Amino acid sequence: MRACIISIGNELLRGKTVNTNASEFGMKLTLCGYDVVRGLTVMDDSDEIAWALEVGMESADLVLTTGGLGPTFDDMTVESVSKALGLSLTADPVTSERLRKRYAKLGLEPTPERLKMAMIPEGSRALQNPVGAAPGVFLKVHNKMIIILPGVPEEANAILDSIMDEIRIRGVEYYSESRYLKGVMESSLVRIVNTVMKEMDSKVYIKSHPRHSETGNPAVELEILARSDTKQHAMDLVKSAFSMVLEQLNEGKNKGQE
Amino acid sequence: MRACIISIGNELLRGKTVNTNASEFGMKLTLCGYDVVRGLTVMDDSDEIAWALEVGMESADLVLTTGGLGPTFDDMTVESVSKALGLSLTADPVTSERLRKRYAKLGLEPTPERLKMAMIPEGSRALQNPVGAAPGVFLKVHNKMIIILPGVPEEANAILDSIMDEIRIRGVEYYSESRYLKGVMESSLVRIVNTVMKEMDSKVYIKSHPRHSETGNPAVELEILARSDTKQHAMDLVKSAFSMVLEQLNEGKNKGQE
């Protein structure tokens, strides 16, 4: 199953905010068994949100959006998604009641901007926000899952955590491990990595991350990933691959190739 | 002028790496006068890179890619971009020579994987990398600028910095300022922000970032941005907008609206 993450907000595009949500959610969806295949960052603009949603639904089974759920004029995610899907908006009664109570307690009016946060697309489910005001939204359309989350990381993570069990793909376990290899050049690893991935029949994915200049004082973080039906088997695959890589690296060194 | 940033790498999608490049480059391009309109994160896959390039060239005048320039099997950005644009690859003589010398100094062979890093699309210019092995690439095609940078932040930033003056849009100055407003709810700002943006004829852009729970112990970071032909004028616009927002907030408080 494939996933696409859509991040909404001008502040992300002009670099005001580092998109930690995309990596946090990417990791969580990966651990739930999904292949995260595309990430899109778009402006606070209804057409741009509609474009991203279309690309997301073409690319993936699960589309997760983050950002644009607050009370301000440029928070337009729910409205834009609903419009793009041809769905009308209805007030979620639980959220409306909660918002009214929260603002009343502070002696404040339930203005239309504030109550806007309770509006969700018809046929969707509000995902209660234990941290902030705007709820998340869970929606199934055309056999696709759509999850709409706020942009504030604490709120979005709390909501996503509450549905992890529901969206988890059963029988797909993921394992990854990294090792820091000092004195190893990324370019020396290329053939070894290719050989090991082939020998292991592509059951593992090996990625090297240069951690120092290739020709200065080289160092590489070697990361090996595997998916399997059990955690133990995924782990065994990763361990075998590490042994093979390290063995071939040592052989190379002994032969004086490096 | 519009810009699109393409980030390439499976590690970004599955959340292994936080995409600090996208925000760093987003900020630099904004300061150079560009509107960064879309961000795309794609896998280490030739078709995905081609897709992102197509979307980028449709959306923007400047397309900047980051990642996939190293020596490993999944570093395929330059090759994929060349293929997508129908350009052949040629070895950049300066880079080839530099790579040969660097590896020779270490007593290492100039393997095809290592020399791959000197290959650039015909008609492009290699952007020398003062930190690492793979150079960046600068390319003009169909009236669009394409800048290809490595994924390692220090390398990519050093290369981008070296061409900032060349890509800077003359006569477009950008200014932004943020203030932390304690005790102010984002939902209370909505109408004020709308009024001020309208009164200032949309010459400023005002964005509020909630920094604490809306109904708990509220706090908002209020950010005001402006573009103008001089830095001083952009700054004046921002200062005026801040005065107007703060004045209206105080008026509201005095009237007991909040």
Side-chain angles (χ1 to χ4, degrees):
Chain A
M1 298 261 272
R2 312 204 301 168
C4 175
I5 295 174
I6 298 171
S7 308
I8 298 157
N10 296 1
E11 72 279 15
L12 299 165
L13 289 164
R14 68 186 142 78
K16 158 82 185 164
T17 307
V18 176
N19 196 351
T20 54
N21 279 358
S23 51
E24 189 74 22
F25 305 161
M27 188 172 286
K28 285 183 176 170
L29 292 178
T30 302
L31 291 171
C32 283
Y34 292 85
D35 289 309
V36 183
V37 294
R38 278 180 186 169
L40 311 168
T41 307
V42 294
M43 296 184 292
D44 301 297
D45 176 280
S46 199
D47 291 338
E48 284 297 290
I49 295 170
W51 171 80
L53 183 71
E54 197 186 324
V55 170
M57 289 177 73
E58 277 168 14
S59 330
D61 308 285
L62 172 77
V63 179
L64 187 152
T65 78
T66 172
L69 297 198
T72 70
F73 77 100
D74 56 1
D75 287 315
M76 52 180 83
T77 302
V78 175
E79 201 186 331
S80 307
V81 168
S82 304
K83 197 179 146 201
L85 296 171
L87 300 172
S88 60
L89 286 168
T90 56
D92 175 59
V94 176
T95 308
S96 301
E97 185 56 24
R98 189 168 54 87
L99 288 176
R100 277 178 203 282
K101 274 192 190 155
R102 287 182 83 162
Y103 287 108
K105 212 187 256 178
L106 298 162
L108 296 172
E109 291 292 314
T111 58
E113 291 85 9
R114 285 167 179 156
L115 289 181
K116 185 186 90 168
M117 295 188 278
M119 301 301 284
I120 62 171
E122 52 169 333
S124 72
R125 171 157 59 101
L127 301 170
Q128 294 312 317
N129 182 339
V131 187
V137 176
F138 185 84
L139 184 60
K140 279 192 181 173
V141 192
H142 308 311
N143 235 359
K144 309 275 179 180
M145 281 178 280
I146 299 172
I147 298 171
I148 299 174
L149 299 178
V152 179
E154 303 73 49
E155 302 184 19
N157 273 294
I159 298 173
L160 182 56
D161 289 349
S162 75
I163 49 162
M164 290 272 278
D165 257 348
E166 188 175 340
I167 62 173
R168 191 184 307 280
I169 301 169
R170 312 291 153 184
V172 180
E173 297 289 341
Y174 173 88
Y175 183 75
S176 92
E177 196 178 313
S178 283
R179 297 199 194 174
Y180 188 82
L181 306 180
K182 219 177 149 178
V184 173
M185 299 168 79
E186 197 181 24
S187 62
S188 307
L189 277 172
V190 179
R191 291 182 192 186
I192 297 175
V193 164
N194 291 352
T195 312
V196 172
M197 279 180 70
K198 204 179 263 178
E199 281 181 27
M200 294 208 56
D201 207 16
S202 296
K203 279 178 191 142
V204 295
Y205 181 76
I206 308 179
K207 182 119 191 169
S208 53
H209 307 280
R211 290 292 174 240
H212 207 280
S213 167
E214 166 82 4
T215 50
N217 186 12
V220 165
E221 183 191 338
L222 190 69
E223 191 195 7
I224 306 189
L225 305 88
R227 283 236 172 83
S228 188
D229 49 356
T230 68
K231 190 82 161 185
Q232 187 59 48
H233 188 233
M235 211 183 279
D236 290 345
L237 288 169
V238 169
K239 304 277 180 205
S240 304
F242 262 119
S243 304
M244 288 166 76
V245 170
L246 297 176
E247 203 173 298
Q248 294 197 27
L249 254 181
N250 277 330
E251 271 175 26
K253 272 187 194 147
N254 294 340
K255 279 193 212 148
Q257 282 174 4
E258 298 301 332
Chain B
M1 298 261 272
R2 311 204 301 168
C4 174
I5 295 174
I6 298 172
S7 307
I8 298 157
N10 296 1
E11 72 278 15
L12 299 165
L13 289 163
R14 67 185 143 78
K16 158 82 185 165
T17 307
V18 176
N19 196 350
T20 54
N21 280 358
S23 51
E24 190 73 23
F25 305 161
M27 188 171 286
K28 284 182 176 170
L29 292 178
T30 302
L31 291 172
C32 283
Y34 292 86
D35 289 310
V36 183
V37 293
R38 277 180 187 169
L40 310 168
T41 307
V42 293
M43 297 185 290
D44 301 297
D45 176 280
S46 199
D47 291 338
E48 284 296 290
I49 295 170
W51 172 79
L53 182 71
E54 197 187 324
V55 170
M57 289 176 74
E58 278 168 14
S59 329
D61 309 284
L62 172 77
V63 179
L64 188 152
T65 78
T66 172
L69 297 198
T72 70
F73 77 99
D74 56 0
D75 288 315
M76 52 180 83
T77 302
V78 175
E79 202 187 331
S80 308
V81 168
S82 304
K83 197 179 146 201
L85 296 171
L87 300 172
S88 60
L89 286 168
T90 56
D92 174 59
V94 176
T95 308
S96 302
E97 185 57 24
R98 190 168 54 87
L99 289 175
R100 277 179 203 281
K101 274 192 189 154
R102 287 181 82 160
Y103 287 109
K105 212 186 254 177
L106 299 163
L108 296 171
E109 292 292 315
T111 58
E113 291 85 9
R114 286 167 180 157
L115 290 180
K116 184 187 93 169
M117 294 188 279
M119 302 302 284
I120 61 170
E122 53 169 334
S124 72
R125 171 157 60 100
L127 301 170
Q128 294 312 317
N129 182 339
V131 187
V137 176
F138 185 84
L139 184 59
K140 279 191 182 174
V141 192
H142 308 311
N143 236 358
K144 309 275 180 180
M145 282 178 280
I146 299 172
I147 298 172
I148 299 174
L149 299 178
V152 179
E154 302 74 49
E155 301 184 19
N157 274 295
I159 298 173
L160 182 55
D161 289 350
S162 76
I163 49 161
M164 290 274 277
D165 256 349
E166 189 175 341
I167 62 172
R168 191 185 306 279
I169 302 170
R170 312 291 153 184
V172 180
E173 298 289 340
Y174 173 88
Y175 183 75
S176 92
E177 195 179 313
S178 282
R179 298 197 193 174
Y180 188 82
L181 307 180
K182 217 175 150 179
V184 173
M185 298 167 78
E186 197 182 23
S187 61
S188 307
L189 277 173
V190 179
R191 290 182 192 185
I192 297 175
V193 164
N194 291 353
T195 312
V196 172
M197 279 180 71
K198 204 178 264 178
E199 282 182 25
M200 294 207 58
D201 206 16
S202 296
K203 280 178 191 141
V204 296
Y205 181 76
I206 308 179
K207 183 118 190 169
S208 53
H209 305 280
R211 290 294 174 239
H212 207 280
S213 167
E214 166 82 2
T215 51
N217 186 12
V220 166
E221 183 191 337
L222 189 69
E223 191 194 6
I224 305 188
L225 305 88
R227 282 236 171 84
S228 188
D229 48 357
T230 68
K231 191 82 160 185
Q232 186 58 49
H233 188 234
M235 211 183 278
D236 291 345
L237 288 169
V238 169
K239 304 278 180 204
S240 304
F242 262 119
S243 303
M244 287 165 76
V245 169
L246 297 176
E247 202 173 297
Q248 295 196 27
L249 254 182
N250 277 330
E251 271 175 28
K253 271 186 194 148
N254 294 340
K255 278 192 212 149
Q257 280 174 4
E258 297 302 331

